[in-house]
Amino acid sequence: MNTYPQIRVGIAGATGYAGQELLALLARHPNVQVGTAMSSSADSAARPLPRLARVFTGQVEPLNPDKLAGESDVVFLAVPEQAAATLAPPLVSSGVRVIDLSGAFRIRDTAARSRWYPATKTLPHGAAYGLTEHYKNDVRHASLVANPGCYPTAALLALLPLSKAGLLDASAGVIVDAKSGISGAGRAPSDRTHFSENHGSVAAYGVFNHRHVAEMEQELGASTTFVPHLVPLDRGILETIYARLKPGVTESQVAEAFAASYGNEPFVRLTGDALPEIKHVAWTNFCDIGWRLDGASGRIVLVAVLDNLVKGAAGQALQNFNVACGFDERTALL
């Protein structure tokens, strides 16, 4: 018999790609009672989700903030940032813990936040940036966890060990060249995500104006050139990251920095000079990181891969939930 506590969980935005992924994970969590699963709008009709047949037996109902607050101990927000900016503060004020998958609460600097997420005027007291492997203690005590973006998750997991060990030459800046599957653009259809536009093609977008740069620079303290590309895959991210290390840094120092950061972390796998691929992590909560170092010039190339809907969204959110609630962080993820 399961004697662990049951946490009443509510989800807003359960019909999107990340929301459905999250609902599927939560439905098999032994310590979760999914009480309410709602859409992103009060105008949508109640409906079943065919993908979750025999996984989640309930229906997704229209968004009802009062019911969400009244029937939940923890609420996951998988809604656009404007909606999250409105929903989260009263939830937190009523004593409900919030894990937000949007970008609404990721940026601490007021000026940067007003540029990229203008709907978010202030951060709720007790908000934490939820890059689990690096801010676990913050997540444990947070009233609101701002789940990182999919692109920053891969980039920061690859770069922060070098930065924290004092090996990264931050003055040289970093370059993040990223490829993402189409699900990263969300479920709402557009010309960019149309099959006939994507099949057989690769396209760069968001050059010099992608809001995920703000997260990367916030956590790294280094100028970041970020160029994302849309590739004809349904899911997955591969980032090729170019940086410089301080003079004299050796291969063994790099390996030691990664081992120190992730030796006991269940969801980061270090591959060394065997560079990882998207197919190694699809449908999992793993982030795989490999690297090659040119010691003579101090240049390092890192390759980080993850599933944008799992480790880049729903899986990391559930990992943060497990940490916040005192469960084994692998629960329902491994």
mmCIF file with all atom_site columns, all heavy atoms in Angstrom, residues 9-30:
data_model
loop_
_atom_site.group_PDB
_atom_site.id
_atom_site.type_symbol
_atom_site.label_atom_id
_atom_site.label_alt_id
_atom_site.label_comp_id
_atom_site.label_asym_id
_atom_site.label_entity_id
_atom_site.label_seq_id
_atom_site.pdbx_PDB_ins_code
_atom_site.Cartn_x
_atom_site.Cartn_y
_atom_site.Cartn_z
_atom_site.occupancy
_atom_site.B_iso_or_equiv
_atom_site.pdbx_formal_charge
_atom_site.auth_seq_id
_atom_site.auth_comp_id
_atom_site.auth_asym_id
_atom_site.auth_atom_id
_atom_site.pdbx_PDB_model_num
ATOM 1   N N   . VAL A 1 9  ? -3.240 18.030 -7.407  1.00 0.00 ? 9  VAL A N   1
ATOM 2   C CA  . VAL A 1 9  ? -2.595 18.802 -8.463  1.00 0.00 ? 9  VAL A CA  1
ATOM 3   C C   . VAL A 1 9  ? -3.628 19.294 -9.455  1.00 0.00 ? 9  VAL A C   1
ATOM 4   O O   . VAL A 1 9  ? -4.546 18.560 -9.844  1.00 0.00 ? 9  VAL A O   1
ATOM 5   C CB  . VAL A 1 9  ? -1.535 17.943 -9.183  1.00 0.00 ? 9  VAL A CB  1
ATOM 6   C CG1 . VAL A 1 9  ? -1.077 18.609 -10.477 1.00 0.00 ? 9  VAL A CG1 1
ATOM 7   C CG2 . VAL A 1 9  ? -0.340 17.717 -8.268  1.00 0.00 ? 9  VAL A CG2 1
ATOM 8   N N   . GLY A 1 10 ? -3.466 20.546 -9.870  1.00 0.00 ? 10 GLY A N   1
ATOM 9   C CA  . GLY A 1 10 ? -4.273 21.108 -10.945 1.00 0.00 ? 10 GLY A CA  1
ATOM 10  C C   . GLY A 1 10 ? -3.380 21.544 -12.090 1.00 0.00 ? 10 GLY A C   1
ATOM 11  O O   . GLY A 1 10 ? -2.219 21.923 -11.887 1.00 0.00 ? 10 GLY A O   1
ATOM 12  N N   . ILE A 1 11 ? -3.903 21.469 -13.291 1.00 0.00 ? 11 ILE A N   1
ATOM 13  C CA  . ILE A 1 11 ? -3.159 21.879 -14.486 1.00 0.00 ? 11 ILE A CA  1
ATOM 14  C C   . ILE A 1 11 ? -4.007 22.838 -15.291 1.00 0.00 ? 11 ILE A C   1
ATOM 15  O O   . ILE A 1 11 ? -5.170 22.549 -15.600 1.00 0.00 ? 11 ILE A O   1
ATOM 16  C CB  . ILE A 1 11 ? -2.801 20.675 -15.378 1.00 0.00 ? 11 ILE A CB  1
ATOM 17  C CG1 . ILE A 1 11 ? -2.044 19.599 -14.602 1.00 0.00 ? 11 ILE A CG1 1
ATOM 18  C CG2 . ILE A 1 11 ? -1.976 21.124 -16.581 1.00 0.00 ? 11 ILE A CG2 1
ATOM 19  C CD1 . ILE A 1 11 ? -1.868 18.313 -15.390 1.00 0.00 ? 11 ILE A CD1 1
ATOM 20  N N   . ALA A 1 12 ? -3.435 23.965 -15.636 1.00 0.00 ? 12 ALA A N   1
ATOM 21  C CA  . ALA A 1 12 ? -4.057 24.880 -16.589 1.00 0.00 ? 12 ALA A CA  1
ATOM 22  C C   . ALA A 1 12 ? -3.247 24.826 -17.878 1.00 0.00 ? 12 ALA A C   1
ATOM 23  O O   . ALA A 1 12 ? -2.026 24.954 -17.848 1.00 0.00 ? 12 ALA A O   1
ATOM 24  C CB  . ALA A 1 12 ? -4.082 26.299 -16.045 1.00 0.00 ? 12 ALA A CB  1
ATOM 25  N N   . GLY A 1 13 ? -3.945 24.620 -18.990 1.00 0.00 ? 13 GLY A N   1
ATOM 26  C CA  . GLY A 1 13 ? -3.248 24.483 -20.267 1.00 0.00 ? 13 GLY A CA  1
ATOM 27  C C   . GLY A 1 13 ? -2.964 23.037 -20.622 1.00 0.00 ? 13 GLY A C   1
ATOM 28  O O   . GLY A 1 13 ? -1.985 22.742 -21.292 1.00 0.00 ? 13 GLY A O   1
ATOM 29  N N   . ALA A 1 14 ? -3.852 22.141 -20.211 1.00 0.00 ? 14 ALA A N   1
ATOM 30  C CA  . ALA A 1 14 ? -3.606 20.706 -20.395 1.00 0.00 ? 14 ALA A CA  1
ATOM 31  C C   . ALA A 1 14 ? -3.783 20.240 -21.832 1.00 0.00 ? 14 ALA A C   1
ATOM 32  O O   . ALA A 1 14 ? -3.473 19.086 -22.139 1.00 0.00 ? 14 ALA A O   1
ATOM 33  C CB  . ALA A 1 14 ? -4.541 19.902 -19.482 1.00 0.00 ? 14 ALA A CB  1
ATOM 34  N N   . THR A 1 15 ? -4.278 21.093 -22.727 1.00 0.00 ? 15 THR A N   1
ATOM 35  C CA  . THR A 1 15 ? -4.517 20.665 -24.103 1.00 0.00 ? 15 THR A CA  1
ATOM 36  C C   . THR A 1 15 ? -3.346 20.942 -25.036 1.00 0.00 ? 15 THR A C   1
ATOM 37  O O   . THR A 1 15 ? -3.330 20.447 -26.162 1.00 0.00 ? 15 THR A O   1
ATOM 38  C CB  . THR A 1 15 ? -5.769 21.351 -24.676 1.00 0.00 ? 15 THR A CB  1
ATOM 39  O OG1 . THR A 1 15 ? -5.616 22.770 -24.568 1.00 0.00 ? 15 THR A OG1 1
ATOM 40  C CG2 . THR A 1 15 ? -7.011 20.911 -23.919 1.00 0.00 ? 15 THR A CG2 1
ATOM 41  N N   . GLY A 1 16 ? -2.372 21.743 -24.608 1.00 0.00 ? 16 GLY A N   1
ATOM 42  C CA  . GLY A 1 16 ? -1.204 22.004 -25.437 1.00 0.00 ? 16 GLY A CA  1
ATOM 43  C C   . GLY A 1 16 ? -0.244 20.834 -25.431 1.00 0.00 ? 16 GLY A C   1
ATOM 44  O O   . GLY A 1 16 ? -0.412 19.857 -24.697 1.00 0.00 ? 16 GLY A O   1
ATOM 45  N N   . TYR A 1 17 ? 0.804  20.930 -26.226 1.00 0.00 ? 17 TYR A N   1
ATOM 46  C CA  . TYR A 1 17 ? 1.773  19.838 -26.299 1.00 0.00 ? 17 TYR A CA  1
ATOM 47  C C   . TYR A 1 17 ? 2.424  19.584 -24.944 1.00 0.00 ? 17 TYR A C   1
ATOM 48  O O   . TYR A 1 17 ? 2.484  18.451 -24.458 1.00 0.00 ? 17 TYR A O   1
ATOM 49  C CB  . TYR A 1 17 ? 2.856  20.152 -27.333 1.00 0.00 ? 17 TYR A CB  1
ATOM 50  C CG  . TYR A 1 17 ? 2.399  20.060 -28.769 1.00 0.00 ? 17 TYR A CG  1
ATOM 51  C CD1 . TYR A 1 17 ? 2.809  21.002 -29.706 1.00 0.00 ? 17 TYR A CD1 1
ATOM 52  C CD2 . TYR A 1 17 ? 1.563  19.033 -29.191 1.00 0.00 ? 17 TYR A CD2 1
ATOM 53  C CE1 . TYR A 1 17 ? 2.410  20.932 -31.030 1.00 0.00 ? 17 TYR A CE1 1
ATOM 54  C CE2 . TYR A 1 17 ? 1.150  18.952 -30.515 1.00 0.00 ? 17 TYR A CE2 1
ATOM 55  C CZ  . TYR A 1 17 ? 1.583  19.901 -31.435 1.00 0.00 ? 17 TYR A CZ  1
ATOM 56  O OH  . TYR A 1 17 ? 1.181  19.832 -32.739 1.00 0.00 ? 17 TYR A OH  1
ATOM 57  N N   . ALA A 1 18 ? 2.927  20.637 -24.311 1.00 0.00 ? 18 ALA A N   1
ATOM 58  C CA  . ALA A 1 18 ? 3.573  20.473 -23.007 1.00 0.00 ? 18 ALA A CA  1
ATOM 59  C C   . ALA A 1 18 ? 2.561  20.055 -21.946 1.00 0.00 ? 18 ALA A C   1
ATOM 60  O O   . ALA A 1 18 ? 2.871  19.238 -21.071 1.00 0.00 ? 18 ALA A O   1
ATOM 61  C CB  . ALA A 1 18 ? 4.278  21.767 -22.598 1.00 0.00 ? 18 ALA A CB  1
ATOM 62  N N   . GLY A 1 19 ? 1.351  20.613 -22.027 1.00 0.00 ? 19 GLY A N   1
ATOM 63  C CA  . GLY A 1 19 ? 0.326  20.262 -21.049 1.00 0.00 ? 19 GLY A CA  1
ATOM 64  C C   . GLY A 1 19 ? -0.076 18.806 -21.122 1.00 0.00 ? 19 GLY A C   1
ATOM 65  O O   . GLY A 1 19 ? -0.251 18.142 -20.087 1.00 0.00 ? 19 GLY A O   1
ATOM 66  N N   . GLN A 1 20 ? -0.234 18.279 -22.314 1.00 0.00 ? 20 GLN A N   1
ATOM 67  C CA  . GLN A 1 20 ? -0.576 16.863 -22.458 1.00 0.00 ? 20 GLN A CA  1
ATOM 68  C C   . GLN A 1 20 ? 0.574  15.969 -21.986 1.00 0.00 ? 20 GLN A C   1
ATOM 69  O O   . GLN A 1 20 ? 0.343  14.934 -21.350 1.00 0.00 ? 20 GLN A O   1
ATOM 70  C CB  . GLN A 1 20 ? -0.932 16.540 -23.906 1.00 0.00 ? 20 GLN A CB  1
ATOM 71  C CG  . GLN A 1 20 ? -2.250 17.126 -24.348 1.00 0.00 ? 20 GLN A CG  1
ATOM 72  C CD  . GLN A 1 20 ? -2.750 16.525 -25.649 1.00 0.00 ? 20 GLN A CD  1
ATOM 73  O OE1 . GLN A 1 20 ? -2.743 15.313 -25.828 1.00 0.00 ? 20 GLN A OE1 1
ATOM 74  N NE2 . GLN A 1 20 ? -3.177 17.373 -26.568 1.00 0.00 ? 20 GLN A NE2 1
ATOM 75  N N   . GLU A 1 21 ? 1.791  16.371 -22.291 1.00 0.00 ? 21 GLU A N   1
ATOM 76  C CA  . GLU A 1 21 ? 2.954  15.609 -21.822 1.00 0.00 ? 21 GLU A CA  1
ATOM 77  C C   . GLU A 1 21 ? 2.973  15.580 -20.302 1.00 0.00 ? 21 GLU A C   1
ATOM 78  O O   . GLU A 1 21 ? 3.213  14.544 -19.675 1.00 0.00 ? 21 GLU A O   1
ATOM 79  C CB  . GLU A 1 21 ? 4.236  16.256 -22.361 1.00 0.00 ? 21 GLU A CB  1
ATOM 80  C CG  . GLU A 1 21 ? 5.462  15.377 -22.308 1.00 0.00 ? 21 GLU A CG  1
ATOM 81  C CD  . GLU A 1 21 ? 5.503  14.363 -23.440 1.00 0.00 ? 21 GLU A CD  1
ATOM 82  O OE1 . GLU A 1 21 ? 5.004  14.657 -24.547 1.00 0.00 ? 21 GLU A OE1 1
ATOM 83  O OE2 . GLU A 1 21 ? 6.026  13.258 -23.205 1.00 0.00 ? 21 GLU A OE2 1
ATOM 84  N N   . LEU A 1 22 ? 2.702  16.725 -19.695 1.00 0.00 ? 22 LEU A N   1
ATOM 85  C CA  . LEU A 1 22 ? 2.690  16.830 -18.242 1.00 0.00 ? 22 LEU A CA  1
ATOM 86  C C   . LEU A 1 22 ? 1.583  15.981 -17.636 1.00 0.00 ? 22 LEU A C   1
ATOM 87  O O   . LEU A 1 22 ? 1.795  15.269 -16.634 1.00 0.00 ? 22 LEU A O   1
ATOM 88  C CB  . LEU A 1 22 ? 2.520  18.297 -17.850 1.00 0.00 ? 22 LEU A CB  1
ATOM 89  C CG  . LEU A 1 22 ? 2.439  18.618 -16.362 1.00 0.00 ? 22 LEU A CG  1
ATOM 90  C CD1 . LEU A 1 22 ? 3.721  18.203 -15.645 1.00 0.00 ? 22 LEU A CD1 1
ATOM 91  C CD2 . LEU A 1 22 ? 2.184  20.108 -16.164 1.00 0.00 ? 22 LEU A CD2 1
ATOM 92  N N   . LEU A 1 23 ? 0.406  16.038 -18.215 1.00 0.00 ? 23 LEU A N   1
ATOM 93  C CA  . LEU A 1 23 ? -0.723 15.269 -17.697 1.00 0.00 ? 23 LEU A CA  1
ATOM 94  C C   . LEU A 1 23 ? -0.436 13.765 -17.764 1.00 0.00 ? 23 LEU A C   1
ATOM 95  O O   . LEU A 1 23 ? -0.766 13.010 -16.836 1.00 0.00 ? 23 LEU A O   1
ATOM 96  C CB  . LEU A 1 23 ? -1.977 15.625 -18.479 1.00 0.00 ? 23 LEU A CB  1
ATOM 97  C CG  . LEU A 1 23 ? -3.318 15.095 -17.964 1.00 0.00 ? 23 LEU A CG  1
ATOM 98  C CD1 . LEU A 1 23 ? -3.505 15.376 -16.484 1.00 0.00 ? 23 LEU A CD1 1
ATOM 99  C CD2 . LEU A 1 23 ? -4.453 15.704 -18.778 1.00 0.00 ? 23 LEU A CD2 1
ATOM 100 N N   . ALA A 1 24 ? 0.201  13.324 -18.832 1.00 0.00 ? 24 ALA A N   1
ATOM 101 C CA  . ALA A 1 24 ? 0.552  11.911 -18.962 1.00 0.00 ? 24 ALA A CA  1
ATOM 102 C C   . ALA A 1 24 ? 1.540  11.488 -17.876 1.00 0.00 ? 24 ALA A C   1
ATOM 103 O O   . ALA A 1 24 ? 1.438  10.387 -17.322 1.00 0.00 ? 24 ALA A O   1
ATOM 104 C CB  . ALA A 1 24 ? 1.140  11.645 -20.344 1.00 0.00 ? 24 ALA A CB  1
ATOM 105 N N   . LEU A 1 25 ? 2.495  12.350 -17.553 1.00 0.00 ? 25 LEU A N   1
ATOM 106 C CA  . LEU A 1 25 ? 3.476  12.040 -16.504 1.00 0.00 ? 25 LEU A CA  1
ATOM 107 C C   . LEU A 1 25 ? 2.820  12.041 -15.126 1.00 0.00 ? 25 LEU A C   1
ATOM 108 O O   . LEU A 1 25 ? 3.047  11.141 -14.313 1.00 0.00 ? 25 LEU A O   1
ATOM 109 C CB  . LEU A 1 25 ? 4.621  13.057 -16.544 1.00 0.00 ? 25 LEU A CB  1
ATOM 110 C CG  . LEU A 1 25 ? 5.534  13.010 -17.770 1.00 0.00 ? 25 LEU A CG  1
ATOM 111 C CD1 . LEU A 1 25 ? 6.456  14.231 -17.774 1.00 0.00 ? 25 LEU A CD1 1
ATOM 112 C CD2 . LEU A 1 25 ? 6.354  11.726 -17.801 1.00 0.00 ? 25 LEU A CD2 1
ATOM 113 N N   . LEU A 1 26 ? 2.001  13.054 -14.857 1.00 0.00 ? 26 LEU A N   1
ATOM 114 C CA  . LEU A 1 26 ? 1.374  13.158 -13.539 1.00 0.00 ? 26 LEU A CA  1
ATOM 115 C C   . LEU A 1 26 ? 0.392  12.020 -13.278 1.00 0.00 ? 26 LEU A C   1
ATOM 116 O O   . LEU A 1 26 ? 0.235  11.579 -12.132 1.00 0.00 ? 26 LEU A O   1
ATOM 117 C CB  . LEU A 1 26 ? 0.654  14.504 -13.420 1.00 0.00 ? 26 LEU A CB  1
ATOM 118 C CG  . LEU A 1 26 ? 1.547  15.736 -13.266 1.00 0.00 ? 26 LEU A CG  1
ATOM 119 C CD1 . LEU A 1 26 ? 0.731  17.006 -13.464 1.00 0.00 ? 26 LEU A CD1 1
ATOM 120 C CD2 . LEU A 1 26 ? 2.230  15.753 -11.905 1.00 0.00 ? 26 LEU A CD2 1
ATOM 121 N N   . ALA A 1 27 ? -0.262 11.543 -14.330 1.00 0.00 ? 27 ALA A N   1
ATOM 122 C CA  . ALA A 1 27 ? -1.254 10.487 -14.161 1.00 0.00 ? 27 ALA A CA  1
ATOM 123 C C   . ALA A 1 27 ? -0.648 9.195  -13.640 1.00 0.00 ? 27 ALA A C   1
ATOM 124 O O   . ALA A 1 27 ? -1.349 8.372  -13.045 1.00 0.00 ? 27 ALA A O   1
ATOM 125 C CB  . ALA A 1 27 ? -1.972 10.233 -15.482 1.00 0.00 ? 27 ALA A CB  1
ATOM 126 N N   . ARG A 1 28 ? 0.658  9.007  -13.831 1.00 0.00 ? 28 ARG A N   1
ATOM 127 C CA  . ARG A 1 28 ? 1.299  7.785  -13.342 1.00 0.00 ? 28 ARG A CA  1
ATOM 128 C C   . ARG A 1 28 ? 2.143  8.023  -12.085 1.00 0.00 ? 28 ARG A C   1
ATOM 129 O O   . ARG A 1 28 ? 2.847  7.122  -11.645 1.00 0.00 ? 28 ARG A O   1
ATOM 130 C CB  . ARG A 1 28 ? 2.148  7.161  -14.446 1.00 0.00 ? 28 ARG A CB  1
ATOM 131 C CG  . ARG A 1 28 ? 3.393  7.945  -14.832 1.00 0.00 ? 28 ARG A CG  1
ATOM 132 C CD  . ARG A 1 28 ? 4.050  7.337  -16.050 1.00 0.00 ? 28 ARG A CD  1
ATOM 133 N NE  . ARG A 1 28 ? 5.380  7.856  -16.294 1.00 0.00 ? 28 ARG A NE  1
ATOM 134 C CZ  . ARG A 1 28 ? 5.927  7.931  -17.498 1.00 0.00 ? 28 ARG A CZ  1
ATOM 135 N NH1 . ARG A 1 28 ? 5.253  7.516  -18.562 1.00 0.00 ? 28 ARG A NH1 1
ATOM 136 N NH2 . ARG A 1 28 ? 7.162  8.397  -17.656 1.00 0.00 ? 28 ARG A NH2 1
ATOM 137 N N   . HIS A 1 29 ? 2.062  9.222  -11.543 1.00 0.00 ? 29 HIS A N   1
ATOM 138 C CA  . HIS A 1 29 ? 2.836  9.544  -10.338 1.00 0.00 ? 29 HIS A CA  1
ATOM 139 C C   . HIS A 1 29 ? 2.117  8.962  -9.123  1.00 0.00 ? 29 HIS A C   1
ATOM 140 O O   . HIS A 1 29 ? 0.938  9.242  -8.897  1.00 0.00 ? 29 HIS A O   1
ATOM 141 C CB  . HIS A 1 29 ? 2.974  11.055 -10.200 1.00 0.00 ? 29 HIS A CB  1
ATOM 142 C CG  . HIS A 1 29 ? 4.024  11.499 -9.233  1.00 0.00 ? 29 HIS A CG  1
ATOM 143 N ND1 . HIS A 1 29 ? 3.954  11.217 -7.876  1.00 0.00 ? 29 HIS A ND1 1
ATOM 144 C CD2 . HIS A 1 29 ? 5.185  12.197 -9.411  1.00 0.00 ? 29 HIS A CD2 1
ATOM 145 C CE1 . HIS A 1 29 ? 5.010  11.744 -7.270  1.00 0.00 ? 29 HIS A CE1 1
ATOM 146 N NE2 . HIS A 1 29 ? 5.769  12.332 -8.188  1.00 0.00 ? 29 HIS A NE2 1
ATOM 147 N N   . PRO A 1 30 ? 2.791  8.181  -8.297  1.00 0.00 ? 30 PRO A N   1
ATOM 148 C CA  . PRO A 1 30 ? 2.106  7.523  -7.182  1.00 0.00 ? 30 PRO A CA  1
ATOM 149 C C   . PRO A 1 30 ? 1.652  8.463  -6.078  1.00 0.00 ? 30 PRO A C   1
ATOM 150 O O   . PRO A 1 30 ? 0.823  8.080  -5.250  1.00 0.00 ? 30 PRO A O   1
ATOM 151 C CB  . PRO A 1 30 ? 3.165  6.544  -6.655  1.00 0.00 ? 30 PRO A CB  1
ATOM 152 C CG  . PRO A 1 30 ? 4.474  7.147  -7.045  1.00 0.00 ? 30 PRO A CG  1
ATOM 153 C CD  . PRO A 1 30 ? 4.223  7.800  -8.374  1.00 0.00 ? 30 PRO A CD  1
#
